[in-house]
Amino acid sequence: MATVKNVVLVHGGFVDGSGWQGVYDHLSADGYKVAVVQNPTLSLAGDVAATRQVLDRLDGPAVLVGHSYGGVVITEAGSHPNVAALAYIAAFAPDTGESVSSLIADPPPGAPVPPILPPQDGFLFLDRDRFAASFAADVPEKLAAFMADSQVPWGVEALAGAVSEPAWQNKPSWYLVATDDHMIPPAAQRAMSERAKAIVSETPGSHAVYVSRPAVVAAVIAQAAQGINGHA
């Protein structure tokens, strides 16, 4: 296999791809060619199509990275021939037939419940006043407020989108657990990463660890690229 120098970053719900800028900067400085998918988060099929469109344009193998719901997207899109490895950043890693809806349906006792407001016209938002505490507790206050006020509507259809064939069954995976995550409980992250037989790292960090600790996130992605390169 050719040396992996491509990285494709996939964001989750309620946000857009701009949150990846810090990670992008670190990886670009280290010589990686980085693309950011602006998935519309209306439906899983639409987001997988947007991701595959980016993968189609690559000149070689890539590490495909997903944060949060983006983990569902990369699990489904990761069968693309240009994907050499998967990297999950505080992300859902569903198995066949699973969706975000099914994975969050039965939270463990005492787990924080994300402040998702009731759907409006088929879209979901987080409670603006509770956004920082639940999603971005370690992000600077002004930036967390901006993220809360610039939320992207998350389609109920995307939440319910089920994976058909998990790419982690056939592609090597890395996983970064955010130990202070109040959106996806760390215990759930560990269980999903173990099931995917991922190489796991842990870091203190909120759900928005990709914003608050970009160097740590970039290091995990580089580890995935180097791990593949080492076996090329």
Side-chain angles (χ1 to χ4, degrees), residues 44 69 72 92 94 97-107 116 119 124 154-163 192:
L44 177 58
Y69 159 74
V72 183
F92 292 104
E98 291 181 343
S99 63
V100 173
S101 291
S102 70
L103 288 168
I104 67 173
D106 190 19
I116 301 174
L124 299 165
W154 191 11
V156 171
E157 203 180 321
L159 198 78
V163 164
M192 288 185 287

Side-chain angles (χ1 to χ4, degrees), residues 145-188:
F146 176 79
M147 291 170 70
D149 286 331
S150 61
Q151 287 183 61
V152 178
W154 191 11
V156 171
E157 203 180 321
L159 198 78
V163 164
S164 61
E165 188 181 339
W168 50 256
Q169 290 183 346
N170 303 303
K171 306 273 175 99
S173 302
W174 277 256
Y175 197 110
L176 180 63
V177 175
T179 60
D180 303 319
D181 197 326
H182 288 180
M183 293 290 292
I184 305 177

Side-chain angles (χ1 to χ4, degrees), residues 10-126:
V10 182
H11 65 82
F14 308 119
V15 296
D16 66 13
S18 63
W20 285 115
Q21 185 168 355
V23 174
Y24 172 97
D25 289 345
H26 281 282
L27 290 170
S28 297
D30 287 341
Y32 290 94
K33 189 175 171 186
V34 188
V36 180
V37 180
Q38 291 286 11
N39 43 312
T41 65
L42 301 178
S43 70
L44 177 58
D47 297 334
V48 168
T51 302
R52 287 185 169 149
Q53 210 171 31
V54 172
L55 291 166
D56 285 341
R57 298 200 300 264
L58 299 181
D59 57 2
V63 177
L64 182 59
V65 185
H67 170 256
S68 192
Y69 159 74
V72 183
V73 179
I74 71 167
T75 300
E76 185 71 9
S79 57
H80 192 286
N82 280 340
V83 176
L86 305 165
Y88 293 88
I89 309 301
F92 292 104
D95 205 342
T96 306
E98 291 181 343
S99 63
V100 173
S101 291
S102 70
L103 288 168
I104 67 173
D106 190 19
V113 178
I116 301 174
L117 298 171
Q120 286 188 316
D121 302 321
F123 292 101
L124 299 165
F125 291 91
L126 286 178

